[in-house]
Amino acid sequence: MSDVRHVLVLPDRDAAEEAAEAVGDRFGLLEEPQLVRDALAGEDDAEDAQWLVVLTDPEARLDVKELDEFAAEWDGWHEEP
């Protein structure tokens, strides 16, 4: 097994929390996604932060295009970690 991770970049905490709840149902994930606040360079204000939803995919079965389309539902995108 490999240690494949996917990162969904979302514009705010609410979007990240909603996506994290929905991604397990949509893709049948066994592990709960991790939420991470990603402050933009030099910014301390939460308004200037993106939120990451980190998915573990040990069997490398998730499709990158489908993840990107999923993240787009919350104005986000899939990014290579």
Side-chain angles (χ1 to χ4, degrees), residues 2-79:
S2 63
D3 187 25
V4 176
R5 295 187 187 271
H6 299 280
V7 177
L8 306 181
V9 181
L10 297 157
D12 57 48
R13 183 180 188 151
D14 290 339
E17 288 175 346
E18 289 176 25
E21 286 182 26
V23 73
D25 293 336
R26 175 87 58 96
F27 296 102
L29 301 178
L30 298 177
E31 290 187 36
E32 197 166 316
Q34 178 184 7
L35 290 177
V36 179
R37 181 180 176 271
D38 184 32
L40 300 176
E43 298 294 336
D44 293 327
D45 188 357
E47 295 295 319
D48 295 322
Q50 295 174 326
W51 283 79
L52 310 178
V53 178
V54 181
L55 311 172
T56 302
D57 183 16
E59 297 175 6
R61 64 179 184 81
L62 298 175
D63 180 88
V64 173
K65 183 176 185 227
E66 288 180 26
L67 288 172
D68 195 45
E69 291 170 357
F70 175 82
E73 294 175 23
W74 286 274
D75 297 324
W77 64 90
H78 174 271
E79 186 167 289

